[in-house]
Amino acid sequence: MGYLEMQKIVKSFSGVRVLDEVDFSLDRGEVVALLGQNGAGKSTLIKILSGFYGKDGGRIFINGEEVHFRSPAESLRKGVRVIYQELEVFPDLTVAENIFMGDLPATRFIGIPVTNRREVYVRARELLELLGEDIDPEVPVRRLSVSAKQVVEIARALAKKANIIVMDEPTATLSQKEVERLFAVIRRLRDQGVGIIYITHRLEEVFTISDRVVVLRDGKNSGFFGTRETSWRDLVQAMIGRTLEELYPKRASSIRSERVLLRVENFSIPKYLESVSFTLREGEILGVFGLVGSGINELALGLFGALPFKGRVEVDGMVFARPLPSVAKSLGLGFIPADRKQEGVIPELSVAQNVTLASLESYCRGGFLRLRDERNCVREWVRRLNIRLRSIDQPIKSLSGGNQQKAVLARWLATNSKVLIAAEPTQGVDVGTRIDIYHIFDDLAKRGMGIVLLSSDLPEVLALSDKIIVLEGGKAVGCFSKGEADERTILYLAMGGKEAVTH
Ligand SMILES: Nc1ncnc2c1ncn2[C@@H]1O[C@H](COP(=O)(O)OP(=O)(O)OP(=O)(O)O)[C@@H](O)[C@H]1O
Ligand SMILES: [Mg+2]
């Protein structure tokens, strides 16, 4: 019996079974990857383990003893710690205060606990060193990078003596370098006897970091694998029930004409971007590659008018004079934000309302909403993006994380804009849908749309783009046309290497 044993776990939401007799086990000192398509039930299984949801059936054992969690606090007491994708750090508190949140080491003065600040910092430093990290415990967390914040969360888990740490898509917003740092921390934790459950949509990570793999499909177990004995093909087969021949489409350039849909000159955003220039033609996909923090996110926000910029932007010959999203939209720009949780999903609205938010006026003819058209359009995108739901009228917040993301994608894909600015469009999206999105982009470009693909996923940028700009430190440090540069050259530049091979 494993240290953690989950047996025949059952869970339903309003009568729909989302976990159907799922088995899962984990030993101390091992990393188990939990895989499955968007909506397969991964987060739900984890939320049952963390006491966030009650289960409708099945049993959970930790260290041979049956447990019945009625709240997250009870699960925490048994040494389970979940690090959710939305990090739960307090930006204004210091690193040390975050680590010891809720149980600051205290000495007693006439029976009253007094927090010993010195000791807090000493112990925080010890924990961070255990993780091999050189982070100053006295700085406010807001000053740290995302990966350093994650390390703080992990240190907090250790401070609470976690034996089981769950990470739900921890690398979605990390750069390559930061992922390596996280993996080093995970290996160290494993060697110290912590059991780790690792959820991801990036299969290459599974092979790098896990010892075993458990796959869910439609709320059921669909495979148990030793990582060393399995392959990409087997995992994909277990996840989606069929094999995939290729992840990236072989796309031929579909540049239609020399007509420039987007002209950007000396585009600057104070502190983030310096004098970036490019043009985008009809039917062209321009890839902008950069690591997290390179400025790609700010470039995306700025191009859509969500951040004030300096410089000149023209959309199909019209000057983008006032940086406002409403102006951007009226000029024919569409925008898929990277941070879809914050900037995309409106949790209280239904899926249908979320999808049609950006395209509402096109259904308004003669003053009334053409409801049937609108609903058909929503259904069409739900089908194309394989969004898993019961009804397009259910609140979007009851969808799995990845399916919520897809609904935001659908919102902008449904608008027929001239130019689509897509930031990290495949983040948090499962492999099957990833391929669907690539084909949709290819298709949109073929119909003449111009697409700016801003992404920190290099293989995807290389496969889709007609032209690639590399951003580093807020500057364009390289520009290549398709096939001109390889992965190594581009990564080298993105990481601050100096020998720019520009033309
Ligand atoms: N609070 C809820 N109310 C109703 N349905 C829910 C709720 N939470 C999850 N579900 C449903 O349960 C199913 C499993 O969702 P879950 O979040 O576990 O998927 P997941 O495997 O984590 O997917 P993703 O990769 O997209 O994060 C989905 O169909 C989802 O719509
Ligand atoms: Mg999830």
Side-chain angles (χ1 to χ4, degrees):
M1 197 183 215
Y3 180 75
L4 165 70
E5 200 71 45
M6 298 178 85
Q7 296 176 349
K8 297 200 178 312
I9 304 295
V10 174
K11 177 72 186 173
S12 302
F13 289 109
S14 19
V16 179
R17 223 174 232 219
V18 300
L19 291 177
D20 192 3
E21 308 207 334
V22 169
D23 291 329
F24 185 87
S25 76
L26 174 76
D27 265 323
R28 296 190 65 167
E30 77 170 344
V31 180
V32 175
L34 181 57
L35 291 189
Q37 282 187 285
N38 296 130
K42 305 176 296 293
S43 295
T44 305
L45 186 68
I46 291 319
K47 286 176 181 165
I48 286 172
L49 175 63
S50 72
F52 190 85
Y53 289 147
K55 55 182 161 41
D56 301 337
R59 307 172 77 182
I60 304 177
F61 299 85
I62 291 181
N63 205 8
E65 179 197 339
E66 183 158 13
V67 292
H68 303 275
F69 297 145
R70 279 169 301 259
S71 71
E74 290 183 13
S75 164
L76 257 179
R77 269 202 291 283
K78 289 286 176 194
V80 179
R81 179 93 205 181
V82 181
I83 297 169
Y84 292 104
Q85 201 177 338
E86 317 76 51
L87 296 174
E88 295 166 311
V89 286
F90 298 89
D92 293 319
L93 299 183
T94 65
V95 168
E97 285 164 339
N98 266 283
I99 292 176
F100 293 108
M101 199 69 219
D103 55 359
L104 293 167
T107 49
R108 283 182 180 266
F109 175 71
I110 355 177
I112 306 163
V114 180
T115 307
N116 180 339
R117 289 184 67 83
R118 249 185 63 86
E119 193 189 328
V120 171
Y121 289 112
V122 170
R123 277 194 45 198
R125 202 176 294 276
E126 281 169 10
L127 277 172
L128 292 166
E129 271 168 16
L130 208 64
L131 294 172
E133 288 293 322
D134 185 22
I135 297 172
D136 181 356
E138 304 197 28
V139 303
V141 160
R142 70 158 74 253
R143 288 217 233 122
L144 303 182
S145 67
V146 184
S147 69
K149 283 185 188 136
Q150 244 166 11
V151 171
V152 170
E153 276 239 32
I154 295 169
R156 178 155 72 183
L158 290 183
K160 291 228 163 62
K161 304 266 179 306
N163 296 321
I164 297 169
I165 296 184
V166 187
M167 301 186 189
D168 196 346
E169 296 185 44
T171 55
T173 53
L174 297 187
S175 68
Q176 200 134 337
K177 232 184 200 161
E178 292 176 312
V179 171
E180 278 159 28
R181 167 186 186 169
L182 178 71
F183 283 177
V185 170
I186 290 177
R187 291 197 185 96
R188 219 163 277 137
L189 287 171
R190 182 189 57 193
D191 297 344
Q192 289 158 11
V194 178
I196 292 158
I197 304 174
Y198 190 87
I199 300 179
T200 186
H201 287 293
R202 299 183 177 175
L203 288 189
E204 63 279 11
E205 293 183 355
V206 171
F207 290 99
T208 315
I209 198 69
S210 73
D211 302 303
R212 285 195 301 121
V213 189
V214 175
V215 185
L216 296 183
R217 183 158 145 231
D218 294 336
K220 296 188 178 73
N221 286 113
S222 64
F224 297 90
F225 303 91
T227 307
R228 253 181 284 165
E229 290 87 56
T230 191
S231 64
W232 202 87
R233 215 183 151 80
D234 292 343
L235 295 182
V236 169
Q237 169 79 39
M239 267 193 290
I240 68 179
R242 62 189 163 100
T243 53
L244 293 172
E245 292 316 320
E246 47 159 21
L247 182 49
Y248 302 103
K250 293 188 185 44
R251 78 170 279 277
S253 169
S254 53
I255 299 173
R256 274 199 183 174
S257 67
E258 289 305 308
R259 177 170 151 211
V260 171
L261 290 184
L262 184 67
R263 183 185 300 281
V264 174
E265 284 168 5
N266 299 319
F267 191 90
S268 301
I269 297 176
K271 286 200 290 220
Y272 294 110
L273 281 176
E274 211 181 303
S275 207
V276 175
S277 303
F278 60 85
T279 54
L280 176 75
R281 285 164 289 178
E282 204 182 3
E284 183 172 28
I285 300 185
L286 166 72
V288 182
F289 174 75
L291 303 179
V292 175
S294 59
I296 50 170
N297 197 25
E298 287 74 16
L299 178 58
L301 288 167
L303 285 175
F304 193 62
L307 281 178
F309 61 81
K310 293 204 184 81
R312 185 181 171 86
V313 177
E314 272 175 33
V315 185
D316 200 14
M318 308 273 282
V319 180
F320 186 3
R322 293 178 56 215
L324 285 174
S326 54
V327 176
K329 199 170 163 287
S330 67
L331 289 173
L333 291 176
F335 179 48
I336 295 173
D339 190 349
R340 291 184 272 276
K341 272 253 161 62
Q342 292 285 325
E343 285 148 21
V345 174
I346 301 181
E348 303 312 318
L349 296 185
S350 71
V351 177
Q353 286 166 321
N354 265 281
V355 171
T356 52
L357 218 52
S359 51
L360 266 185
E361 57 265 45
S362 59
Y363 301 106
C364 292
R365 306 256 163 76
F368 64 92
L369 218 56
R370 301 210 324 191
L371 259 185
R372 173 124 36 92
D373 284 0
E374 178 182 321
R375 296 178 67 80
N376 284 339
C377 170
V378 173
R379 290 206 183 88
E380 171 68 11
W381 282 104
V382 163
R383 188 188 61 73
R384 285 184 77 179
L385 290 171
N386 190 21
I387 302 178
R388 294 205 30 177
L389 42 66
R390 289 192 300 282
S391 144
I392 59 173
D393 297 313
Q394 81 187 89
I396 195 166
K397 65 179 175 193
S398 66
L399 260 54
S400 80
N403 284 305
Q404 293 185 20
Q405 302 228 4
K406 292 191 231 168
V408 179
L409 248 65
R411 179 190 301 161
W412 288 104
L413 295 174
T415 57
N416 286 322
S417 32
K418 284 182 196 160
V419 173
L420 180 67
I421 296 154
E424 310 282 8
T426 58
Q427 205 164 77
V429 162
D430 63 55
V431 268
T433 313
R434 223 172 214 266
I435 297 173
D436 294 338
I437 291 174
Y438 296 149
H439 285 290
I440 291 169
F441 276 21
D442 183 34
D443 193 47
L444 291 170
K446 279 202 185 93
R447 294 175 197 204
M449 189 188 271
I451 299 177
V452 185
L453 168 68
L454 302 105
S455 168
S456 55
D457 185 321
L458 187 49
E460 130 184 332
V461 172
L462 282 168
L464 292 183
S465 313
D466 298 307
K467 189 163 73 192
I468 299 173
I469 291 178
V470 187
L471 272 195
E472 198 271 318
K475 289 189 194 128
V477 292
C479 178
F480 306 92
S481 46
K482 196 180 183 77
E484 206 182 13
D486 57 26
E487 212 165 318
R488 275 186 50 200
T489 316
I490 292 182
L491 254 184
Y492 176 75
L493 288 173
M495 291 169 92
K498 290 289 172 270
E499 289 159 43
V501 198
T502 49
H503 75 131

